[in-house]
Amino acid sequence: MIAVTGATGHLGLLAIKELLDKGTKSNQIVAVVRNKDKAQDLSSKGLEVREADYGNAESLVNALQGVEKLLFISGSEVGARIPQHTNIVNAAKKANVKFIAYTGILNSDSSKLLLAKEHQATEKMIKDSGITHAFLRNGWYIENYTERLESALQNGAIVGSAGDGKISAATRSDYAAAAAAVITGNTAENAIYELGGNAFTMPEFAAVVSKVSGKKIEYKNMPSGEYAKLLMSFGLPTPYAEALADSDVGISRGELYTNRDDLKKLIGRPLTTLESAVKKAVQ
Ligand SMILES: NC(=O)c1ccc[n+]([C@@H]2O[C@H](COP(=O)([O-])OP(=O)(O)OC[C@H]3O[C@@H](n4cnc5c(N)ncnc54)[C@H](OP(=O)(O)O)[C@@H]3O)[C@@H](O)[C@H]2O)c1
């Protein structure tokens, strides 16, 4: 049995789709969800849906019974993830899970991003657990940018603090395909994948948006403190806004860039291009 955590999230749903497309039988997939009401579609496809909260250790042990391989999709509650992820790894050990594929962050070994800390701690706890694993170190999602295009198209500007830093972003569906390939394949023991797509800078991103939309869109760089304040003024919680602004500074230092082609190799097909992702978003 393969279990997928965060199964009702964007990446989880796409990973399950990829597993089914690759021929994994639905009754061989356990969807670990925090709210079964959100998972009716998964149940109707024949998956076993088990409810567990990352904050509830016992619920996780129950959810992982009989599971051989776990696609552990990192939680989304930034700042709360070390205790939550500790619960998942401990539960995997108690349930005798044989393999964990964990979705971390690109260049985790050297990353100074605030967001990297919880991923680095999680990789360490997985290593220390002794469970055979793979680290899927995902770069930025292209959707981080394409899902926020509305105001850019209205105002003619995309803002940030990333400077001219290169971003090896890829779509969630490409990362999901890589996750499905690793969890179903015979990959090397304790492999580390640095996963990213064809790199672009924010000025290049703005140029693609301009081309696709037919409107002149500029990239405006600003100091990270101002950018964090702007994000807060849009309603983002302070720690999250600060983490995003900090990530932009990391991008300007090249921390979300990779020249490795692990993603392309794993999925065995060309990656979704930035232009086609932008086209899909502005349609
Ligand atoms: N690489 C990037 O650019 C990037 C960007 C954003 C996030 N991420 C990371 O990648 C992960 C997957 O991305 P995504 O787009 O799929 O995020 P997402 O749509 O927000 O999905 C997160 C999933 O985690 C589940 N979850 C969160 N807290 C939980 C808890 N306490 N107990 C049980 N389940 C919990 C959510 O459950 P519900 O469905 O019930 O909400 C959801 O299914 C994120 O969680 C985050 O760690 C990466």
Side-chain angles (χ1 to χ4, degrees), residues 6 8-11 34 38 52-54 73-77 81 84 139-141 144 172:
T8 46
H10 293 91
L11 187 64
R34 118 169 108 175
K38 277 181 77 178
D53 192 291
Y54 296 166
I73 295 183
S74 48
S76 48
E77 296 173 55
R81 293 185 290 186
Q84 292 181 339
W140 246 206
Y141 300 153
N144 293 349
R172 283 194 189 94

Side-chain angles (χ1 to χ4, degrees), residues 10 15 22 38 76-77 129 131 135 139 168 195 237-239 272:
H10 293 91
K22 275 177 159 294
K38 277 181 77 178
S76 48
E77 296 173 55
S129 74
I131 300 173
F135 294 148
S168 297
L195 301 174
T238 304
T272 311

Side-chain angles (χ1 to χ4, degrees), residues 12-271:
L13 286 169
L14 289 166
I16 287 169
K17 180 181 178 303
E18 290 287 343
L19 285 171
L20 295 171
D21 288 352
K22 275 177 159 294
T24 305
K25 295 209 163 54
S26 57
N27 66 5
Q28 291 303 303
I29 305 174
V30 174
V32 180
V33 303
R34 118 169 108 175
N35 178 357
K36 271 192 173 178
D37 294 343
K38 277 181 77 178
Q40 280 162 8
D41 195 36
L42 295 174
S43 311
S44 66
K45 284 190 176 128
L47 277 77
E48 191 177 335
V49 175
R50 298 182 185 170
E51 218 167 50
D53 192 291
Y54 296 166
N56 179 335
E58 201 187 328
S59 70
L60 289 163
V61 179
N62 292 334
L64 297 183
Q65 290 306 310
V67 167
E68 193 192 349
K69 294 176 173 190
L70 173 62
L71 174 55
F72 172 5
I73 295 183
S74 48
S76 48
E77 296 173 55
V78 174
R81 293 185 290 186
I82 293 183
Q84 292 181 339
H85 289 182
T86 304
N87 285 340
I88 297 173
V89 176
N90 287 343
K93 202 155 181 184
K94 282 195 184 140
N96 209 15
V97 169
K98 300 284 182 254
F99 177 73
I100 299 178
Y102 171 68
T103 62
I105 192 163
L106 184 62
N107 300 321
S108 196
D109 290 327
S110 58
S111 182
K112 305 253 183 309
L113 299 192
L114 286 176
L115 284 175
K117 287 187 185 359
E118 291 169 312
H119 292 297
Q120 289 158 342
T122 306
E123 287 193 356
K124 182 173 181 325
M125 60 183 94
I126 292 170
K127 273 190 202 159
D128 291 348
S129 74
I131 300 173
T132 303
H133 55 267
F135 294 148
L136 301 162
R137 292 178 172 171
N138 289 346
W140 246 206
Y141 300 153
I142 287 181
E143 289 89 342
N144 293 349
Y145 300 112
T146 55
E147 285 170 0
R148 292 192 258 153
L149 278 180
E150 207 173 302
S151 73
L153 291 169
Q154 270 168 16
N155 305 324
I158 295 168
V159 294
S161 306
D164 281 328
K166 286 184 178 174
I167 310 156
S168 297
T171 57
R172 283 194 189 94
S173 61
D174 285 347
Y175 292 119
V182 166
I183 206 94
T184 55
N186 294 315
T187 50
E189 257 190 30
N190 303 341
I192 295 177
Y193 300 98
E194 302 288 356
L195 301 174
N198 299 319
F200 56 85
T201 64
M202 286 309 290
E204 286 165 354
F205 175 67
V208 171
V209 177
S210 300
K211 181 180 166 199
V212 170
S213 66
K215 294 181 184 161
K216 175 118 188 71
I217 311 288
E218 279 176 341
Y219 176 64
K220 287 192 181 155
N221 207 56
M222 55 169 65
S224 60
E226 269 179 43
Y227 182 44
K229 279 189 197 143
L230 185 72
L231 292 172
M232 283 177 231
S233 76
F234 296 150
L236 262 71
T238 304
Y240 194 46
E242 285 174 347
L244 288 183
D246 169 80
S247 297
D248 259 23
V249 177
I251 286 171
S252 71
R253 293 190 300 254
E255 293 188 21
L256 283 170
Y257 169 76
T258 183
N259 59 9
R260 283 175 52 166
D261 60 356
D262 298 9
L263 182 59
K264 199 169 152 196
K265 278 191 190 142
L266 275 176
I267 70 179
R269 58 166 165 76
L271 301 176

